[in-house]
Amino acid sequence: MTTIRQRIRAATVGVILAASTLTACSGGGGTSTNGTIEYWLWDSAQQPGYQKCADAFHEANPDLKIHISQYGWDTYWSKLTAGFIADTAPDVFTDHLSKFAQFVDLKVLRPLDDIAPTADIQDGDYQEGLAELWKGQDGKRYGAPKDWDTIAIFYDAAVLKAAGVNPSDLQNLNWNPKDGGTFEKLVAHLTVDVNGKRGDEPGFDKEHVKMHGLSAEGSGGGGWGQTQWSAFAGSAGWQATDKNPWGTKFNLDQPSLQDTLSWYFGLVNKGYMPSYAEIGGTNSLGTDKQIQSGTAAMGLSGSWMISTFTKLTDAKGKKLDIGLAPTPIGPSGKRASMFNGLADSVTTLSKQPENAAKWVKFLSGEQCQNIIGQSGVVFPARPAGTDLAINYNKTERKLDVTPFTQQVKDKTTFLFPVTTNAADITALMAPRLDAVYIGSSPVTSLTKLNNQLDKLFEVAS
Amino acid sequence: MSIILDSTPAIATPADDVSPEPQRRFGIGRGLAWAFMILVILVSLFPFYWMLRTALSSNNALYAGGDSLLPVQPSAGGFERVFGLQTGQAAIDAGGAGQEIHFWRYLFNSVVVSTLITAGQVFFSAMAAYSFARLQWKHRERVFGFFLAGLMIPSIFTLLPNFVLIKQLGLVDTLLGIALPTMFMTPFAVFFLRQFFLGISREVEEAALIDGASKTRVFFTLILPMSVAPITTLAILTYIASWNEYFWALLVSYTDKSRVLTVALGVFKSQTPQTGPDWSGLMAATLVAALPMLLLFMIFAKRIVNSIGFSGIK
């Protein structure tokens, strides 16, 4: 997710930002006041949908135009930070939960409650819990909810068929940290070694596996195991912090997490999951590529990957038949999925906060979110928009996305842990969890990591 | 090149065969050497082949044929995206970014920026190097020491101050803004040329000065022509470096009017944290962007090699 260099850059930039507030920048450039609103996003797949929103907005407000710039994730944040320093930042930009706390601290986000057009945004208009994620510790709203995502299992239907597995069996899997439950049984059965022996057959060679039953996406140290182990830890009743958002005490020392991780990373030793070396460690191959290349039979991934998965083909160009299943039921008796979302924020550098807020209000409003829902790339934050996205997947892609949406209905989701010092947490967590995944450190080493995180917050707060 | 110098020099006519090698054209040793050379060439060219093979594959099928030596689901889509022939939804469906790409515009911008930087940097650095190598002035060595310290400052430190300066000069989103920081000099260029100028014999220069030439004239009519080889080397290195510059150009550029090739083709990199790059587009882009530099190298390769065996007096 983030490289060491990015982290260092983020840290230095923080220092420089603090220093730069002392030296006022002058001159033009950056945001304009001539009625053109600069809007930035990073996901190219979402750009066509938002362009439609921009056109609709211009129709409703003929004196205002939206100029959308798209920069890929790797460059987006550096360019944005440089923009904050040199006063060339956009008026409105797509914000991310792992970044927004730092931006609030650096005072580059304008509270939406303070600008008339966005002052009346209602939490209740969005999927439950989404809007609350974007409130700072001061209780003010810094982002208007845009979309949401959850986690589910993606699988290749042809592989299941070859293994004699009925897809409906996947809809009610359970797991526990002792023997892995029916989930591990399935993973073992889907694992095939080079001699064609399955993981649950005698004579299975775990050292020479051709296809693993479950994909891996690295150790998950960079994002609280979102697409790796968070669904398992969550269904064991574990929460990352004492409260969310803005927790200050961490729970990495609890047995519920350590047992979960011990079981999860233990799948590597059994040959059921690719090792760190096989998928390229920190910048790992995604689940989509592992399923496509036949390295894995199924795997956990996020709803933002639906369009990527449904485009995959085999070497002859024939579309893969991709199916979905919900994350397994855990020791708590329930399923679990991390619930996360993006939002749009207004920068303090905007010379036209009122106009910027109008655009944000429109982005978070019904008309735009329905447009986004009909493009089927993500699930819009408003329930009506979500329903349109569900329909789009059903009719256009012949894909039932219930595994992603049901958990929101059943309230079995838990929110992405929002904290301050996100960059420092990643810097501490990623190498430690990598070590556990590689097998060079025991799971109990996370207790020490937990103490470090707690200390970090004692010092930093 | 194997010239064996005898300790007893004999006057050899071309007809004489003094070569120690036997007449046998193709011995085992030579065969092995050839085989080894061919192997080395294949190994070093393979990555380029792999790029081409990936560029000609379909992005959505790529990982289904990871072990195939030939393109997977052959398609020219990668190159079409690079030249901006495939737009919008089609590109997104193929795993690309769907951005509008005005390839020739970016190529032109890259040429302008690289030429500005190379011409400016080489010329001004040569002047500074001459002053450090030949002119006598107070505290010269100390100033040069400070100057060299500039080599030790990582560019990431100067990045933001430079950016703020460019912003204050009103040069954000202009080609000049991209070229400016390295257009006048870099410590490396000054240091590099100074080393060569120090090696030029003083006698030639003194003779010119006695004949009444000014320092300026000496610089233009003696020093520069005698240093063609190192200056060419420096120019090529500078050109390639500024051609490949990415991060600074990315910061300064906001619209197509100042977008250089490296930044424009950056859209083939990962667009979101998880989806991974548009590999076929990225490889096609890399090949296309590297092509002008490969040509440059082919044309000037001899010069670069010659400049290493450089000497002052002909």
Side-chain angles (χ1 to χ4, degrees):
Chain A
M1 293 280 287
T2 52
T3 60
I4 299 274
R5 202 177 324 147
Q6 277 173 317
R7 275 175 231 143
I8 293 170
R9 200 181 293 154
T12 38
V13 151
V15 174
I16 295 164
L17 257 179
S20 73
T21 47
L22 303 172
T23 55
C25 302
S26 61
T31 69
S32 56
T33 45
N34 61 359
T36 302
I37 299 166
E38 283 291 329
Y39 177 54
W40 287 11
L41 47 81
W42 68 78
D43 187 350
S44 54
Q46 295 188 44
Q47 199 179 347
Y50 282 108
Q51 190 56 55
K52 280 184 196 153
C53 283
D55 297 342
F57 179 76
H58 179 58
E59 232 165 87
N61 304 280
D63 56 334
L64 294 176
K65 273 218 325 274
I66 307 294
H67 181 254
I68 302 181
S69 298
Q70 182 264 336
Y71 299 100
W73 174 267
D74 300 338
T75 49
Y76 184 83
W77 301 105
S78 351
K79 205 164 162 71
L80 192 63
T81 309
F84 286 141
I85 293 164
D87 195 13
T88 53
D91 297 288
V92 181
F93 71 99
T94 302
D95 207 345
H96 194 265
L97 278 175
S98 64
K99 311 270 178 186
F100 111 94
Q102 194 160 20
F103 288 149
V104 172
D105 289 344
L106 295 167
K107 299 192 170 45
V108 290
L109 302 184
R110 195 176 281 276
L112 297 178
D113 325 67
D114 302 355
I115 337 172
T118 44
D120 62 346
I121 289 180
Q122 299 295 324
D123 293 4
D125 289 345
Y126 305 97
Q127 299 282 10
E128 202 174 327
L130 271 190
E132 285 81 349
L133 284 174
W134 293 95
K135 287 183 180 170
Q137 282 170 292
D138 53 5
K140 295 201 166 178
R141 189 191 305 280
Y142 288 97
K146 200 184 171 65
D147 60 29
W148 58 268
D149 55 72
T150 49
I151 307 297
I153 298 173
F154 287 84
Y155 61 83
D156 181 349
V159 171
L160 254 57
K161 203 170 161 190
V165 176
N166 188 337
S168 62
D169 296 350
L170 270 66
Q171 303 302 317
N172 283 305
L173 295 168
N174 63 63
W175 84 275
N176 63 66
K178 280 199 185 62
D179 63 6
T182 55
F183 178 78
E184 184 169 339
K185 278 200 179 67
L186 173 71
V187 171
H189 184 65
L190 292 175
T191 305
V192 186
D193 72 7
V194 286
N195 307 315
K197 281 255 186 289
R198 295 197 169 271
D200 53 2
E201 290 176 343
F204 166 70
D205 178 1
K206 65 176 188 180
E207 302 298 329
H208 303 97
V209 176
K210 188 161 175 266
M211 183 192 281
H212 299 276
L214 185 66
S215 75
E217 289 204 345
S219 69
W224 294 104
Q226 186 176 14
T227 59
Q228 296 85 2
W229 40 263
S230 71
F232 301 107
S235 64
W238 181 76
Q239 285 287 341
T241 46
D242 55 342
K243 59 175 201 246
N244 193 20
W246 313 117
T248 52
K249 285 261 183 291
F250 292 82
N251 298 328
L252 294 158
D253 54 349
Q254 289 182 357
S256 58
L257 174 78
Q258 297 195 354
D259 294 349
T260 299
L261 292 186
S262 177
W263 165 81
Y264 177 79
F265 291 123
L267 294 173
V268 175
N269 300 334
K270 298 173 185 167
Y272 299 164
M273 190 164 86
S275 66
Y276 185 91
E278 265 177 283
I279 55 157
T282 33
N283 288 327
S284 74
L285 287 175
T287 295
D288 55 321
K289 297 176 181 77
Q290 288 168 55
I291 287 178
Q292 184 183 28
S293 60
T295 310
M298 64 177 191
L300 278 70
S301 194
S303 51
W304 61 88
M305 290 296 282
I306 292 173
S307 61
T308 307
F309 270 98
T310 49
K311 282 182 219 154
L312 296 178
T313 69
D314 64 9
K316 293 188 185 65
K318 193 172 147 291
K319 269 207 189 321
L320 297 183
D321 183 5
I322 296 288
L324 291 171
T327 55
I329 296 161
S332 68
K334 290 197 184 118
R335 308 181 191 289
S337 162
M338 192 180 274
F339 192 38
N340 188 15
L342 303 179
D344 290 306
S345 297
V346 175
T347 62
T348 44
L349 295 103
S350 173
K351 313 275 188 298
Q352 41 177 354
E354 293 281 327
N355 294 342
K358 265 191 199 163
W359 170 233
V360 169
K361 174 80 175 169
F362 188 81
L363 283 168
S364 58
E366 194 149 351
Q367 191 184 352
C368 176
Q369 300 220 339
N370 287 353
I371 292 174
I372 298 298
Q374 280 153 350
S375 71
V377 181
V378 287
F379 294 121
R382 286 172 174 264
T386 300
D387 291 339
L388 286 167
I390 294 171
N391 281 335
Y392 178 92
N393 280 296
K394 202 169 264 156
T395 54
E396 300 294 315
R397 297 190 178 123
K398 308 283 174 279
L399 189 70
D400 178 9
V401 291
T402 314
F404 286 114
T405 54
Q406 192 62 37
Q407 297 217 39
V408 181
K409 284 203 178 73
D410 295 349
K411 299 197 180 9
T412 52
T413 58
F414 57 95
L415 295 169
F416 179 94
V418 177
T419 59
T420 50
N421 312 311
D424 303 320
I425 294 175
T426 302
L428 285 167
M429 265 179 80
R432 291 307 182 78
L433 275 150
D434 281 357
V436 174
Y437 179 24
I438 293 165
S440 59
S441 296
V443 175
T444 47
S445 66
L446 298 181
T447 304
K448 194 177 156 194
L449 167 66
N450 200 63
N451 295 340
Q452 285 178 314
L453 290 174
D454 286 348
K455 285 232 166 54
L456 168 74
F457 274 70
E458 281 164 32
V459 174
S461 58
Chain B
M1 303 295 285
S2 62
I3 299 170
I4 295 164
L5 289 173
D6 253 68
S7 50
T8 52
I11 298 167
T13 57
D16 279 343
D17 192 0
V18 291
S19 147
E21 284 178 14
Q23 276 297 349
R24 244 180 345 134
R25 276 280 164 80
F26 215 78
I28 287 180
R30 188 169 265 230
L32 279 176
W34 272 100
F36 179 71
M37 285 298 286
I38 288 168
L39 187 74
V40 168
I41 289 170
L42 283 180
V43 167
S44 39
L45 285 182
F46 185 74
F48 285 96
Y49 170 72
W50 198 252
M51 282 164 75
L52 188 68
R53 165 255 180 213
T54 306
L56 291 168
S57 300
S58 295
N59 216 35
N60 289 328
L62 202 54
Y63 283 84
D67 50 0
S68 138
L69 274 173
L70 294 169
V72 191
Q73 261 295 89
S75 109
F79 286 99
E80 281 172 13
R81 285 196 288 286
V82 169
F83 291 110
L85 305 172
Q86 197 186 57
T87 45
Q89 204 54 47
I92 289 178
D93 287 343
Q99 297 280 1
E100 270 191 48
I101 292 186
H102 307 288
F103 180 81
W104 303 109
R105 174 82 215 241
Y106 307 137
L107 186 75
F108 172 78
N109 287 346
S110 269
V111 170
V112 169
V113 167
S114 300
T115 309
L116 270 179
I117 292 178
T118 306
Q121 192 186 118
V122 171
F123 179 67
F124 294 117
S125 297
M127 283 180 157
Y130 178 65
S131 149
F132 279 128
R134 282 286 195 267
L135 304 184
Q136 300 299 329
W137 39 285
K138 212 174 169 181
H139 301 309
R140 187 183 78 171
E141 296 311 310
R142 191 169 300 171
V143 171
F144 187 66
F146 274 122
F147 212 78
L148 276 193
L151 271 174
M152 295 166 199
I153 298 172
S155 58
I156 196 85
F157 280 116
T158 55
L159 196 82
L160 283 169
N162 272 345
F163 184 51
V164 172
L165 180 64
I166 293 291
K167 166 75 173 52
Q168 287 167 341
L169 291 170
L171 290 174
V172 166
D173 205 23
T174 61
L175 292 176
L176 187 61
I178 296 176
L180 208 55
T182 45
M183 208 168 97
F184 292 126
M185 67 102 211
T186 57
F188 169 76
V190 176
F191 174 75
F192 178 89
L193 288 178
R194 174 180 168 268
Q195 291 304 91
F196 278 100
F197 293 170
L198 283 174
I200 294 177
S201 78
R202 282 196 179 275
E203 288 86 349
V204 185
E205 199 181 347
E206 276 163 7
L209 290 171
I210 287 165
D211 284 346
S214 67
K215 288 272 188 193
T216 319
R217 190 166 165 197
V218 167
F219 174 71
F220 280 107
T221 55
L222 267 180
I223 304 287
L224 284 187
M226 284 173 97
S227 316
V228 165
I231 284 176
T232 311
T233 307
L234 179 69
I236 291 168
L237 290 177
T238 309
Y239 205 91
I240 292 173
S242 42
W243 183 270
N244 290 335
E245 170 58 41
Y246 175 73
F247 198 62
W248 171 254
L250 170 89
L251 278 189
V252 177
S253 167
Y254 280 80
T255 61
D256 274 358
K257 74 176 183 160
S258 72
R259 199 145 292 175
V260 295
L261 207 51
T262 41
V263 176
L265 299 181
V267 303
F268 293 103
K269 284 172 63 185
S270 206
Q271 299 303 311
T272 60
Q274 290 88 0
T275 47
D278 166 11
W279 282 115
S280 50
L282 187 63
M283 289 301 148
T286 314
L287 281 173
V288 168
L291 206 58
M293 294 303 103
L294 283 174
L295 288 173
L296 197 73
F297 240 104
M298 277 177 187
I299 297 164
F300 290 102
K302 252 209 169 72
R303 293 226 161 194
I304 296 180
V305 174
N306 284 352
S307 75
I308 293 164
F310 163 83
S311 74
I313 293 185
K314 294 272 187 303

